[in-house]
């Protein structure tokens, strides 16, 4: 039996008015969505806004020992906001849905596993006739996934579960938000303002009382001295913060000196399985991951793990099925505050698929660093350049560099450096960073 892999990385439910697309735009996002291929098995249907090149598909399936010829690749019809996204045109295009239903029958698919379970995913599931056999479909069909990915809802769930989170407020009132921010800034503390449905630090802004203060986890930072400045700034920024008044806004105390960490879990009918863990590299927003990275030295890890599993059990009891990431902030004292949950594939999911499929039983002793870099070459030539430099992946030793993403139109690619120690993985990563400029 097979499944449908849907690479809907960018969805209208995850972005708002403040969305900033990468420099290569939507087609770059479409190439990024090809990372779902690391989770493909024989006879699966892979649905993407832009189909992978033959070279990248062969590269991935050779490493995962998947029969490329047995896979079916489907490009979705183009709709707003443009090529590179799995758009709502999939829902409206009856010809696409009809043809997809026929293909699904040929491949005997039993479920859909989308990057994010939105209205497009439910429409494709209906076309394929896998509503009853897709775990958690009813919950997703009623918008449950959107609810759980809300940062505002997360705070309520975490407080109810007794999970430690940063102090803060959730509000629809700009004066309420400004009052809290002004109070913290007057006490010499910074705050971080978060849009409700954003990811990767997009939409976040740090407001702090001192110039040149740390502002990790946000694209922008503003130094504000007086209460008047805070009120004026929040009022002017409210349409952006609230997505035009459509969403609640989260204002939290900003805690400097934290290590961003995550625990990725798989939630299914049988229970909860730990899928991966690591450190999120920030500069100032997400710039890759290290596995296990600094998380291995966090004294409060076991308490964080317990909190993550408690949240996962809550999510599971509501009906969600699929991947889930619990993000935390390890303070200088070692305590881990939970920052948010993401009930979808994350930026680390494909890396842990790689570890499970390619490293197998050896993955527990390996260390990995994943980053995005810039290349002047296509995928094949970039791979040759890495292998020619002596950094290629050694299948026997299971160390070296794997290219985990194809080259985007703006010449970005992603690599995962794998070593037997943190130092070896870091050495591979340093060599790649010297060879290829920052993306």
């Amino acid at each position: 039996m097979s499944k449908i892999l849907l690479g809907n990385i960018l969805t209208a439910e995850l972005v708002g008015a403040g969305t900033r697309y990468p420099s290569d735009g939507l087609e770059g996002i479409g190439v990024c969505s090809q990372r779902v291929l690391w989770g493909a098995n024989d006879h699966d249907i892979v649905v993407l806004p832009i189909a992978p090149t033959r070279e990248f598909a062969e590269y991935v399936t050779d490493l995962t020992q998947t029969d490329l010829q047995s896979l079916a690749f489907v490009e979705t019809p183009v709709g707003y906001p443009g090529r590179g996204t799995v758009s709502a045109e999939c829902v409206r295009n009856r010809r696409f849905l009809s043809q997809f239903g026929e293909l699904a029958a040929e491949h005997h698919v039993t479920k859909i596993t989308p990057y994010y379970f939105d209205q497009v995913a439910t429409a494709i599931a209906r076309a394929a006739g896998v509503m009853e056999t897709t775990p958690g479909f009813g919950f997703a069909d009623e918008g449950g996934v959107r609810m759980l990915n809300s940062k505002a809802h997360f705070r309520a769930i975490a407080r109810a579960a007794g999970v430690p989170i940063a102090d803060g407020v959730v509000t629809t009132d700009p004066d309420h938000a400004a009052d809290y921010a002004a109070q913290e800034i007057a006490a010499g503390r910074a705050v971080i303002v978060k849009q409700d449905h954003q990811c990767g630090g997009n939409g976040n802004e740090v407001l702090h009382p001192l110039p040149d203060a740390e502002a990790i986890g946000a694209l922008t930072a503003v130094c504000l001295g007086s209460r008047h400045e805070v009120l004026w700034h929040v009022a002017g920024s409210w349409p952006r913060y609230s997505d035009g008044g459509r969403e609640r806004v989260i204002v939290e105390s900003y805690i400097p000196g934290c290590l961003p960490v995550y625990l990725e879990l798989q939630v299914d009918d049988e229970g909860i399985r730990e899928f991966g863990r690591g450190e999120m590299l920030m500069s100032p927003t997400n710039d890759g991951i290290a596995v296990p990275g600094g998380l291995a030295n966090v004294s409060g890890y076991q308490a964080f793990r317990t909190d993550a599993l408690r949240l996962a059990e809550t999510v599971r009891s509501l009906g969600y099925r699929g991947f889930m990431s619990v993000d935390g902030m390890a303070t200088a004292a070692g305590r881990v505050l939970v920052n948010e949950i993401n009930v979808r594939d994350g930026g680390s999911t494909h890396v842990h698929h790689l570890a499970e499929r390619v490293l197998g039983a050896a993955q527990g002793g390996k260390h990995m660093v994943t980053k995005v870099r810039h290349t002047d070459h296509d995928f094949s030539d970039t791979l040759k350049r890495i292998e020619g430099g002596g950094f290629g992946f050694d299948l026997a030793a299971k160390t070296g560099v794997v290219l985990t993403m194809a080259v985007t139109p703006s010449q970005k690619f992603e690599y995962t450096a794998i070593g037997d120690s943190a130092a070896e993985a870091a050495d591979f990563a340093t060599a790649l960073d010297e060879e290829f400029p920052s993306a």
Side-chain angles (χ1 to χ4, degrees), residues 198-262:
Q198 274 285 9
C199 56
N202 292 304
N204 292 355
E205 185 168 74
V206 173
L207 311 180
H208 54 82
L210 300 173
D212 302 320
E214 176 189 295
I216 300 299
L219 287 172
T220 57
V222 182
C223 180
L224 301 170
S226 68
R227 178 179 178 81
H228 174 75
E229 287 180 338
V230 175
L231 294 173
W232 184 263
H233 178 80
V234 171
S237 303
W238 196 254
R240 172 167 55 90
Y241 289 163
S242 65
D243 193 11
R246 288 183 287 271
E247 302 283 3
R248 288 177 292 175
V249 176
I250 301 90
V251 187
E252 294 177 344
S253 297
Y254 179 86
I255 304 172
C258 289
L259 181 77
V261 297
Y262 72 90

